[in-house]
Amino acid sequence: MSILDGRVAVVTGASSGIGEACALAFVGKGANVVLAARRTERLESLVARIEAMGGEALAVATDVTDEAAVQNLFNSAVARFGTVDVVINNAGIADSTAIDEMSLETWHQVIETNLTSAFLCSRAAFRVMKGKGRGRIVNIGSISARVPRANSPAYAASKWGLDGLTRSLAIDGREFNIAASIFHPGIVATEIAPGAVKLPENFAASPEDIAGVIVHMCDLPDHLNFYEGMVVQIDLPFLGRG
């Protein structure tokens, strides 16, 4: 039996891509899921799929950059399922804008969506998890947190910041048995892909492949933490980029 059986996972950015695949993978492990995104129709459709699988899910329309909306998300999760055990901070956007062409509005949008949202959700998660003495938070980073892509200053800054936030959460969570970790995907076939580089056919990983690893990181005894993970294509020019 999976450790996740009967536990409650909040997944942001759950209306498509990695978030949607994570939600389905958690349900496959017996977890209950709380789905957060702005696209309500997609969330409701995913709930219907999960219920058809025999699982339980709650859709909460959420702008994860909004403090009140995030608090409502966690209040709704606790009201429905009684607690929150796992949080997947997956919501994010990509951007490929040169620094001299980037507006302040774009900068704020990327930072708030990719980084501030993780702060807000992690803060809300800590407030639930500290009282019960366990919990797990996984932030979805990027290989741009190791080697940035050209012409992506806001995206790179947000993912490097997310890495720093994760390290801080991991330290602050130790006293309360809250594990914080980060997963860095390579090229994934999702709507977020910026299309900055032409890729060979069938080069990108599927969201399901990535979700399988993320859920595996969560399917551990409470005293263990799979702190950092990364999945990249074998021939991805990662270290040299290109």
Side-chain angles (χ1 to χ4, degrees), residues 136 181-183 213-220 226 228-229:
R136 196 173 296 276
S181 55
I182 190 164
F183 177 77
V213 179
I214 294 167
V215 172
H216 175 68
M217 293 174 68
C218 300
D219 197 7
L220 291 173
F226 193 147
E228 186 173 28

Side-chain angles (χ1 to χ4, degrees), residues 80-116:
R80 170 69 179 272
F81 294 113
T83 190
V84 172
D85 299 295
V86 178
V87 174
I88 308 298
N89 284 318
N90 167 72
I93 56 175
D95 182 76
S96 296
T97 306
I99 185 69
D100 55 324
E101 299 175 357
M102 178 172 289
S103 67
L104 183 59
E105 180 183 7
T106 297
W107 171 269
H108 281 306
Q109 182 184 27
V110 175
I111 297 297
E112 289 171 10
T113 303
N114 295 357
L115 180 56
T116 303

Side-chain angles (χ1 to χ4, degrees), residues 27-28 30-32 47-57:
V27 171
N32 304 311
V47 168
R49 289 173 60 192
I50 289 169
E51 291 177 344
M53 296 166 56
E56 289 193 51

Side-chain angles (χ1 to χ4, degrees), residues 17 23 28 30 37 57-58 89 93 96 108 116 122 146 149 164-165 173 181 187 208-209 212 223-224 232 238 242:
L58 171 67
N89 284 318
I93 56 175
S96 296
H108 281 306
T116 303
S122 298
R146 292 291 178 268
R149 195 176 60 245
L165 174 64
S181 55
I187 307 299
E208 291 74 21
D209 289 335
H223 69 290
L224 298 178
V232 296
F238 171 50

Side-chain angles (χ1 to χ4, degrees), residues 8 18 52 56 72 77 86-88 98 105 119 145 172 184 186 189 202-203 214 227 235:
V8 180
I18 293 172
E56 289 193 51
N72 176 66
V86 178
V87 174
I88 308 298
E105 180 183 7
F119 155 71
D172 294 343
H184 301 296
N202 300 321
F203 182 80
I214 294 167
Y227 173 71
D235 54 350

